[in-house]
């Protein structure tokens, strides 16, 4: 059986552009007629997604699959580590949680068990696609981690991938980082590196040409691409460090939304679509920031609900949120944020933390008990009558996904929010979420609620009406926008990459 060809992007450090260039090549190769798929053996991120089968993988891998026009599957990201705090992570293998492990336990014991799943996934991917575009993690030259590596050069050697090494020139020291990384690789590993990439270049390329010549002479490896700094790409990132890089255009818009950025925030991409609305400002409120008087407060998902709830109390945000809600300010909680809106969050089995029980914000009348079984589903849901701010929205076949531990139980009657009709392609009849009597606070377990254009605009219009502003028709189509951004990324990278050499490398594999 003919095996897939492989291209692999590794970096001289984290956040040099591996993920975005993997996404670009997934789109380029798909555009050129190859059945293409991404692969990342091991990812560490709190930004995750549920595949159609109900497995959990990294969100950046899903974006790459979308760019390739491929359905996301767990084999594309066989190992996902979700930090829970105190040098500990939840380990997810082939989409299923296998428990929490300390960094030393994982590195010295479990990572080698995970390697078996990585090899199994590589074998599956090789037989189902024409090309695999593989993403590494961090740097392949971390000598203290190399023994138990299951994501960089060990993967490249396992499937004989052609490696492109990326450096971020915007940070400075790009030449030294490339030369130093290559020097620390073993001879057989260096032999797999077929090209060098300079990313995030700003300025006159002629001024860089002596450096490109030096790299070729010093390493014997050509520079195949000098990629300019690409601003405001609407493509999902893998972790919340990217929130620090969101540019502030200082344009004051009609609606101001404050998202509370807790220490263990997860799935922050839930709010990307809001961030692209022309009449909306989205501000992530970090430790020490003033909450102010926003038009809407959103409490996002969390990998450690009780710890993030204690953070809200400790920093004074819990008191402010409750006071503003009492005054009529709208508040929405998603997943972990939904749990925090209730009266108590209990964790008797210490599933997420060592906290037995923490009082919630008390804005909705329910209690959540953490349990060991994780609920992971893609969902379709209906909304018969959403009375948020008395807007009375009706919608059917809306889409989202669930990723949560814990069961939420009402302590007294409350109005329900959504009716889930399908979980991972199976028909169900499940109620999700509640709204308060004043209709200004609601919570849901459904991630991706704001990706639904009609529902998102209805919520924004309700906020506009509350301020005496006129309602607007749908201004922004999220899924269409993402597709156009994949094309824009692919066009930009094609322009600045030696694609003839890339295809020659593929032909010679």
């Amino acid at each position: 059986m003919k095996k897939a060809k492989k291209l692999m992007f590794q970096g001289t450090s984290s956040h040099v552009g591996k993920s975005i260039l993997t996404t670009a090549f997934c789109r380029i190769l798909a555009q050129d007629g190859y059945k293409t798929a991404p692969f990342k053996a091991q990812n560490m991120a709190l930004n995750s997604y549920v595949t159609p089968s109900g497995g959990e993988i990294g969100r950046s891998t899903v974006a790459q699959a979308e760019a390739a026009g491929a359905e996301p599957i767990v084999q594309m990201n066989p190992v996902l580590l979700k930090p829970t705090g105190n040098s500990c992570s939840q380990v997810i293998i082939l989409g299923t949680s296998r428990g929490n492990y300390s960094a030393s336990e994982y590195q010295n014991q479990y990572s080698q068990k995970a390697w078996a799943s990585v090899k199994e996934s590589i074998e599956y991917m090789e037989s189902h696609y024409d090309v695999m575009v593989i993403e590494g993690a961090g740097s392949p030259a971390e000598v203290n981690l190399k023994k138990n590596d299951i994501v960089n050069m060990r993967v490249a050697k396992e499937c004989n991938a052609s490696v492109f090494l990326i450096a971020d020139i915007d940070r400075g020291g790009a030449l030294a980082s490339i030369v130093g990384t290559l020097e620390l690789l073993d001879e057989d590993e260096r032999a797999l590196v077929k090209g060098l990439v300079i990313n995030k270049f700003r300025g006159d390329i002629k001024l860089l040409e002596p450096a490109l010549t030096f790299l070729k002479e010093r390493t014997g490896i050509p520079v195949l691409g000098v990629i300019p700094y690409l601003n405001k790409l609407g493509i999902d990132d893998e972790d919340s460090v990217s929130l620090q890089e969101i540019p502030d255009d200082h344009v004051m818009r009609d609606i101001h939304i404050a998202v509370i950025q807790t220490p263990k925030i997860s799935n922050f991409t839930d709010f990307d679509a809001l961030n692209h609305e022309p009449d909306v400002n989205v501000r992530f409120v970090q430790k020490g920031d003033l909450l102010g008087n926003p038009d809407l407060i959103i409490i996002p998902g969390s990998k450690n609900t009780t710890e993030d709830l204690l953070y809200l109390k400790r920093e004074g945000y819990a008191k402010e949120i409750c006071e503003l809600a009492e005054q009529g300010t709208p508040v929405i909680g998603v997943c972990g944020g939904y749990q925090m809106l209730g009266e108590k969050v209990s964790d008797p089995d210490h599933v997420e933390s060592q906290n037995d029980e923490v009082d919630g914000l008390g804005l909705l009348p329910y209690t959540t008990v953490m349990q060991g079984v994780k609920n992971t589903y893609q969902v379709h849901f209906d909304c018969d009558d959403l009375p948020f701010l008395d807007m009375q929205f009706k919608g059917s076949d809306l889409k989202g996904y669930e990723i949560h531990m814990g069961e939420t139980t009402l302590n007294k009657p409350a109005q329900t929010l959504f009716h889930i009709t399908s979980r991972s392609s199976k028909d169900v009849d499940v109620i999700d979420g509640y709204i308060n009597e004043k209709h200004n606070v609601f919570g849901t377990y459904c991630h991706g609620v704001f990706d639904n254009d009609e529902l998102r605009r209805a919520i924004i219009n309700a906020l506009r009406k509350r301020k005496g502003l006129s309602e607007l028709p749908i201004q922004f189509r999220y899924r269409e926008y993402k597709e156009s951004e994949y094309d824009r990324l692919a066009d930009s990278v094609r322009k600045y990459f030696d694609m003839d050499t890339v295809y020659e490398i593929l032909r010679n594999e």
Side-chain angles (χ1 to χ4, degrees):
M1 180 181 292
K2 187 176 179 180
K3 290 187 175 182
K5 298 179 182 297
K6 300 99 178 170
L7 297 178
M8 185 172 192
F9 289 96
Q10 296 190 29
T12 57
S13 70
S14 297
H15 301 287
V16 298
K18 296 184 293 292
S19 179
I20 205 71
L21 286 176
T22 299
T23 306
F25 271 82
C26 281
R27 190 62 155 199
I28 289 169
L29 292 165
Q31 288 174 336
D32 291 350
Y34 291 90
K35 186 179 181 183
T36 307
F39 181 79
K40 186 164 186 176
Q42 176 183 288
N43 198 358
M44 176 174 280
L46 289 176
N47 205 25
S48 61
Y49 187 79
V50 177
T51 67
S53 67
E56 190 176 0
I57 64 175
R59 183 84 190 208
S60 60
T61 301
V62 174
Q64 292 159 0
E66 289 175 350
E71 181 177 281
I73 57 175
V74 295
Q75 288 87 353
M76 294 175 180
N77 177 204
V79 183
L80 175 63
L81 307 179
K82 302 186 76 172
T84 60
N86 299 321
S87 298
C88 185
S89 292
Q90 182 183 75
V91 177
I92 296 167
I93 304 293
L94 291 174
T96 302
S97 174
R98 303 297 176 90
N100 295 343
Y101 292 84
S102 69
S104 61
E105 287 173 337
Y106 178 75
Q107 283 295 327
N108 297 324
Q109 300 172 35
Y110 203 86
S111 66
Q112 298 316 301
K113 296 178 182 178
W115 174 243
S117 296
V118 171
K119 291 199 296 182
E120 174 188 327
S121 297
I122 290 173
E123 184 176 349
Y124 177 90
M125 299 289 289
E126 284 181 327
S127 64
H128 284 77
Y129 299 93
D130 298 332
V131 183
M132 293 168 59
V133 187
I134 306 171
E135 180 185 350
S139 163
E142 303 292 345
V143 293
N144 56 312
L145 302 177
K146 191 169 182 177
K147 178 182 177 182
N148 297 315
D149 168 45
I150 66 168
V151 66
N152 286 311
M153 278 300 175
R154 191 171 182 183
V155 169
K157 290 195 289 186
E158 175 70 21
C159 57
N160 195 32
S162 299
V163 175
F164 299 151
L165 182 64
I166 307 167
D168 178 357
I169 198 169
D170 197 49
R171 296 183 175 189
L175 273 66
S177 66
I178 288 173
V179 173
T181 297
L182 291 170
E183 286 293 326
L184 290 172
L185 296 180
D186 295 337
E187 185 176 347
D188 60 339
E189 295 169 339
R190 282 195 299 272
L192 293 173
V193 181
K194 306 301 183 184
L196 308 176
V197 183
I198 304 295
N199 196 27
K200 301 182 186 178
F201 178 70
R202 311 176 197 239
D204 186 348
I205 188 66
K206 292 181 181 178
L207 298 177
L208 186 63
E209 286 174 354
L212 306 183
T213 301
F214 164 80
L215 285 173
K216 178 64 169 68
E217 293 175 350
R218 179 68 172 79
T219 68
I221 303 170
V223 177
L224 298 183
V226 178
I227 311 301
Y229 194 99
L230 301 175
N231 195 23
K232 292 187 177 180
L233 282 167
I235 295 172
D236 295 343
D237 212 325
E238 64 183 354
D239 217 344
S240 56
V241 66
S242 63
L243 292 177
Q244 302 167 15
E245 301 169 1
I246 293 176
D248 185 355
D249 55 17
H250 301 292
V251 175
M252 297 305 293
R253 298 184 170 90
D254 293 334
I255 301 301
H256 307 281
I257 298 176
V259 179
I260 309 299
Q261 187 177 339
T262 55
K264 294 301 177 184
I265 184 174
S266 67
N267 294 78
F268 62 89
T269 48
D270 279 343
F271 318 112
D272 279 358
L274 288 168
N275 203 41
H276 290 289
E277 289 285 359
D279 56 337
V280 173
N281 287 115
V282 177
R283 179 171 62 97
F284 284 83
V285 179
Q286 303 179 46
K287 183 176 181 178
D289 291 346
L290 295 175
L291 180 55
N293 190 26
D295 299 311
L296 170 65
I297 299 168
I298 300 178
I299 306 176
S302 169
K303 187 63 198 71
N304 194 322
T305 302
T306 57
E307 287 293 332
D308 276 351
L309 185 52
L310 289 171
Y311 162 84
L312 294 183
K313 294 171 180 289
R314 186 169 60 248
E315 298 300 320
Y317 292 124
K319 183 174 183 290
E320 281 190 87
I321 291 168
C322 290
E323 289 175 348
L324 287 168
E326 181 61 30
Q327 296 165 17
T329 299
V331 180
I332 296 174
V334 179
C335 198
Y338 166 47
Q339 295 171 340
M340 294 181 211
L341 291 177
E343 295 172 349
K344 288 185 184 296
V345 180
S346 300
D347 191 0
D349 297 327
H350 297 163
V351 172
E352 285 191 349
S353 72
Q354 295 303 305
N355 301 310
D356 294 323
E357 185 175 271
V358 177
D359 287 339
L361 301 181
L363 295 175
L364 287 167
Y366 50 72
T367 298
T368 298
V369 179
M370 294 297 173
Q371 298 176 346
V373 178
K374 178 179 274 195
N375 296 283
T376 56
Y377 309 102
Q378 282 194 5
V379 299
H380 290 239
F381 59 96
D382 296 338
C383 183
D384 297 329
D385 180 9
L386 177 60
F388 184 60
L389 302 181
D390 298 319
M391 68 185 191
Q392 296 181 323
F393 171 81
K394 298 180 186 295
S396 61
D397 201 31
L398 303 170
K399 296 177 182 178
Y401 59 99
E402 293 180 73
I403 306 177
H404 67 91
M405 290 182 169
E407 293 296 327
T408 297
T409 305
L410 276 180
N411 298 326
K412 68 178 184 179
Q415 185 169 349
T416 57
L417 200 67
F418 301 134
H419 173 213
I420 297 176
T421 58
S422 171
R423 277 177 164 172
S424 297
S425 301
K426 295 182 180 180
D427 292 342
V428 296
D429 183 5
V430 176
I431 296 301
D432 170 74
Y434 298 99
I435 188 165
N436 68 340
E437 293 178 354
K438 292 173 61 176
H439 294 168
N440 70 313
V441 178
F442 79 74
T444 174
Y445 271 126
C446 289
H447 294 281
V449 165
F450 300 109
D451 294 354
N452 295 279
D453 298 333
E454 291 80 6
L455 177 55
R456 182 179 67 253
R457 176 42 58 181
I459 291 172
I460 295 170
N461 278 340
L463 297 172
R464 293 181 64 86
K465 187 176 179 181
R466 183 172 179 267
K467 294 183 73 174
L469 301 171
S470 60
E471 296 184 3
L472 297 176
I474 291 175
Q475 303 288 296
F476 174 74
R477 298 283 183 181
Y478 184 51
R479 290 180 175 85
E480 293 175 9
Y481 171 76
K482 288 178 73 175
E483 288 297 317
S484 70
E485 289 297 276
Y486 293 138
D487 287 337
R488 180 165 76 93
L489 172 62
D491 291 345
S492 297
V493 172
R494 277 185 192 273
K495 184 177 179 180
Y496 296 100
F497 220 95
D498 184 352
M499 294 303 302
D500 289 339
T501 298
V502 170
Y503 278 115
E504 183 180 350
I505 289 170
L506 283 175
R507 284 192 297 271
N508 292 333
E509 276 201 358

